């Protein structure tokens, strides 16, 4: 009884979280439908931000030209544009071809196909006929640039066509289209009932519910009457009262959008986004959207802080320290031990920072806590316990910079959030330039960083000398230092503490962390993941996440997923502790070496990966020799320091030095791998994004460039310049 | 570091060589689809066990070699001239 109650509670919590996510995503990146009139371009550019997609209707009286012209102009201004193609306005196939050429030249990849009103001007009486022409012409390149083709859905029926006919038409259009936008509607119940009917009939296209923006009521009524959505206008009238409906304040879709999110939340495709009919009121609609988004974000934050209040009990207070010190009493376990359950909602393979962070954010941000992390050895036994713990966000591509910047922000707050001292230490990060070519790339990197609001600048050798007095900045050096890329927010952290902190907090929220539990097989059937085989028996799960870094090829192979990954060892070394003298992190790409001083006073060194792929973590003398000679080139005074230890960890290298995140062709099998020599700093943001991906079924924008499919599509990310020296 | 016995130069330290990666059969460039070609370029088995791979003796005889190596222990089972058989 209590069990069903608590799982019902879990379910409703998860659902609530999904609704909020859905609402936020829908309000953040909606589609605005605008009319191709004079002044529309200005209204859009003045008021609408670029993350909103703009769809341009076709006017039966004025033909396709104004639609195309406005679409081209908005695309030039940097908008994602969707022109409406009205079948009845298209004369013949060559007209269609011309239009698609213009559309493709404007960089537009998405069109919306409708029948259009009035008598056909040419050979296409309805949208189906046009879609078929598109499909048949595909062989010789017709519309080959299109990625999306939308068609209309009619939750309230159509004034001239029967429901059965409408459904049959949709089924016929389905193979040549990729999404559905519904006709204007005012009742979430009507939309969700219609979605259910369509799904039952076999229509599986993602749905964008269409709602009116903030518009004058009279205009709204007129439009509604014309397109025959009488039923929901009656609904509107009943709920708002005729007077309010006609009041000058105008209609606001707040309630409708919220209810749509709550009814359609369980399946991501039922509300793939929001389509807003602006009906000429672009500015007012945009004002409304901002307010609504702000309110949603506040609600999300409130929800999070409410959950955070039940965060791990603060066992590690100063008082507790004194008490334990005086009494000699043992500390309680930081995370609990459990017998594995028969099944979990989510199984995460790999107990490094990525796996543990994903589990933590699933539980805290999404209320999904029936989660297990399976680790074949002890947590942090992989790269997460072996890295040199350097954090930075001065990458080379805009995607990279934004992504790592978010991670740094999370790291800065992590100690407080987890009530665990992760010893984040902001040091400043210097990448030395020994050649004009590297100075040039650094200027480029600095500009990319600044554009994303990340602090980076190129400094000269004198400034370098001031920051790091012991560096050999003389021109007599074998590789003289010409300058450096200086990144003040960079720093170091205590890597083990991060792993332990996440494990402890996740465990407090109900996540099971199973150490000494090796995954030996993955059960897949019908293209879906069913669970895993482990050294402690089988565990069922509809979602399995591969977060095993150096071992990730082996885990993916168990699910039948091939990967562009090669495993290389990366070595590091540490000296005896000395008094603090090195504040910043110093990196030299040319000399393949980087160093920092820990809080304990040791100097930690790292270098590039070993010269050949291997799963062996044995250190080598070659590495140490090479490292020592390079370090002495940079800082001759270190010659008297003794090395205490050296070690190696496994790195999952990808062809483009960027990670692989998100879904795979096996449903329910997700990857968060390809972290190579630089993935520790990405732990928090990856955990957050993977948790969102799992909870919502959608790939967050922040990681959309990192999908596995990019290799088959040839869309590699160019991060080599900023990530090739390990760290 | 490991020693690789070059058939021409004898046992030499691995850093005399360039490691060129595991051997995968190359599709016919004339016929391969883009996807097949990209799969060939990027996808790797990355096995933990015996693998057949290509090395180049860049600081020695400058010949290409086919090497069978265990990627966990780094034991080397055989080294032969490239193209002399034993390749997938
Ligand atoms: C020497 C070195 C220095 C580095 N320096 C930096 C740096 O300065 N900054 C930075 O950002 N990154 C750095 N990195 C990279 C960073 O360490 C990794 O990218 C990161 O730790 C990967 O974390 P993860 O959680 O994905 O994987 P890992 O921490 O490697 O965790 C994977 C886990 O999966 C487990 N596992 C494997 N197979 C199985 C199985 N079959 N069943 C169950 N569990 C399994 C492993 O035991 C392991 O614990 C460095 C790496 C090394 C080796
Ligand atoms: Zn040789």
């Amino acid at each position: 009884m209590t069990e069903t109650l608590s799982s019902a509670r879990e379910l409703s919590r998860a659902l609530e979280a999904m609704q909020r996510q859905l609402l936020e995503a829908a309000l953040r990146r909606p589609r605005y439908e605008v009319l191709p009139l004079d002044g529309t371009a200005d209204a859009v550019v003045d008021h609408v931000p670029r993350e909103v997609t703009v769809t341009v209707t076709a006017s039966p009286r004025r033909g396709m030209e104004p639609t195309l012209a406005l679409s081209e102009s908005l695309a030039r201004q940097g908008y994602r544009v969707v022109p409406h193609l009205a079948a009845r306005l298209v004369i013949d196939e060559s007209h269609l071809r011309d239009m698609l050429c213009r559309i493709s030249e404007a960089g537009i990849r998405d069109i919306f196909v409708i029948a259009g009103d009035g008598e056909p001007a040419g050979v296409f009486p309805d949208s189906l006929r046009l879609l078929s022409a598109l499909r048949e012409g595909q062989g010789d390149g017709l519309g080959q640039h299109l990625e999306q083709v939308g068609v209309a859905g009619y939750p309230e029926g159509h004034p001239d066509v029967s429901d059965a006919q409408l459904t049959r038409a949709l089924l016929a259009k389905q193979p040549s289209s990729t999404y559905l936008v519904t006709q204007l509607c005012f009742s979430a119940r009507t939309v969700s009932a219609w979605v259910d009917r369509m799904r039952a009939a076999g229509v599986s296209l993602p749905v964008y519910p269409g709602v009116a923006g903030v518009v004058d009521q009279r205009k709204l009524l007129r439009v509604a009457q014309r397109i025959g959505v009488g039923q929901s206008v009656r609904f509107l009238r009943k709920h708002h009262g005729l007077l309010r409906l006609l009041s000058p304040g105008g209609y606001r879709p707040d309630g409708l959008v919220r209810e749509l999110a709550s009814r359609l939340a369980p399946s991501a495709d039922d509300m793939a986004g929001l389509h807003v009919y602006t009906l000429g009121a672009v500015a007012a609609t945009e004002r409304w959207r901002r307010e609504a988004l702000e309110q949603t974000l506040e609600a999300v934050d409130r929800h999070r802080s409410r959950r955070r209040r039940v965060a791990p009990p603060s066992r590690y207070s100063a008082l507790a320290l004194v008490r334990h010190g005086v009494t000699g009493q043992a500390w309680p376990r930081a995370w609990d031990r459990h017998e594995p359950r028969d099944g979990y909602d989510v199984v995460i393979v790999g107990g490094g920072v990525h796996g543990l962070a994903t589990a933590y954010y699933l539980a805290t941000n999404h209320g999904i806590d029936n989660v297990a992390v399976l680790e074949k050895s002890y947590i942090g036994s992989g790269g997460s316990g072996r890295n040199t713990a350097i954090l930075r966000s001065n990458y080379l591509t805009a995607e990279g910079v934004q992504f790592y910047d978010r991670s740094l922000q999370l790291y800065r707050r992590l100690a407080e959030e987890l009530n665990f001292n992760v010893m984040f230490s902001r040091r400043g990060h210097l990448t030395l330039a020994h050649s004009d070519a590297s100075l040039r790339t650094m200027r480029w990197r600095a500009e990319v960083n600044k554009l994303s609001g990340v602090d980076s600048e190129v400094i000269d050798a004198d400034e370098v000398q001031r920051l790091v007095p012991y560096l050999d900045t003389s021109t007599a050096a074998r590789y003289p230092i010409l300058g450096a890329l200086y990144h003040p927010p960079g720093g170091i952290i205590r890597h083990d503490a991060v792993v332990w902190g996440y494990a402890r907090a996740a465990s407090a929220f109900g996540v099971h962390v199973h150490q000494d539990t090796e995954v030996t097989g993955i059960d897949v059937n019908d293209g879906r993941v069913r669970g895993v085989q482990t050294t402690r028996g089988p565990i069922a799960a509809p979602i399995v996440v591969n977060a095993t870094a150096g071992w990730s090829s082996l885990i993916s192979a168990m699910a039948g997923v091939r990967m562009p990954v090669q495993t290389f060892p990366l070595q590091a070394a540490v000296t005896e502790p000395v008094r603090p003298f090195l504040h910043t992190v110093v990196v030299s790409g040319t000399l393949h070496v980087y160093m920092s001083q820990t809080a304990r006073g040791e100097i930690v060194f790292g270098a590039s990966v070993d010269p050949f792929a291997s799963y062996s973590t044995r250190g080598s003398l070659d590495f140490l020799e090479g490292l020592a000679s390079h370090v002495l080139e940079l800082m001759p005074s270190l010659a008297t320091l003794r090395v205490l230890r050296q070690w190696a960890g496994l790195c999952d290298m990808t062809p483009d030095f960027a990670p692989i995140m998100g879904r795979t062709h096996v449903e329910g099998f997700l990857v968060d791998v390809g972290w190579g020599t630089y993935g520790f700093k990405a732990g928090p943001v990856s955990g957050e994004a993977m948790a969102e991906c799992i909870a919502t079924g959608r790939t967050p924008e922040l990681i959309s460039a990192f999908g596995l499919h990019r290799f088959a599509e040839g869309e590699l990310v160019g991060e080599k310049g900023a990530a090739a020296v390990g760290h | 570091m490991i020693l690789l016995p070059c058939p021409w130069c004898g046992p030499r330290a691995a850093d005399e060589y360039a490691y060129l990666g595991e051997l995968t059969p190359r599709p016919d460039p004339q016929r391969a689809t883009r996807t097949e070609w990209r799969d060939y370029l990027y996808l790797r088995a990355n096995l933990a066990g015996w693998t057949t791979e290509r090395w180049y003796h860049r600081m020695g005889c400058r010949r290409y070699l086919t090497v069978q190596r265990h990627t966990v222990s780094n034991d080397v089972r055989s080294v032969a001239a490239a193209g002399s058989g034993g390749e997938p």
Side-chain angles (χ1 to χ4, degrees), chain A residues 341-349 370-374 519 521-525 528-534 537-545 666-670 694:
Chain A
R341 295 185 188 137
D342 293 341
Y344 291 91
D345 293 341
V346 181
V347 159
I348 297 167
V349 191
N370 186 20
V371 175
V373 177
L374 309 182
V519 171
I522 297 182
D523 304 325
V524 175
N525 77 41
R528 246 204 148 288
V529 102
R530 308 287 165 178
V532 296
Q533 300 293 327
T534 78
I539 298 175
I543 291 178
V544 174
V545 183
V666 175
E667 213 177 314
F669 182 70
L670 289 84
I694 294 163

Side-chain angles (χ1 to χ4, degrees), chain B residues 6-10 12 16-17 57 59-63 65:
Chain B
C6 173
W8 287 276
C9 317
R12 297 296 181 93
E16 276 192 12
Y17 301 78
H57 198 179
M59 293 178 175
C61 57
R62 302 171 110 203
R63 292 201 206 211
L65 307 171

Side-chain angles (χ1 to χ4, degrees), chain A residues 349-356 374-391 395 517-520 547-551 555 558 569-572 594 606 647-652 672-673 675-682 726-727:
Chain A
V349 191
V353 65
H354 282 263
L356 291 164
L374 309 182
E375 165 54 53
K376 70 171 174 173
S377 175
Y378 57 90
I379 57 170
S381 58
S384 299
R386 295 163 188 262
N387 66 86
T388 44
I390 292 169
L391 312 181
Y395 278 70
T517 309
E518 178 170 355
V519 171
T520 53
T548 55
W551 298 266
I555 298 292
M558 291 175 191
L570 176 65
Q571 303 191 45
Y594 59 91
W647 65 93
L650 299 186
C651 296
D652 39 342
D672 172 21
V673 303
W675 287 111
T677 60
Y678 39 82
F680 192 76
K681 68 179 77 61
H727 76 294

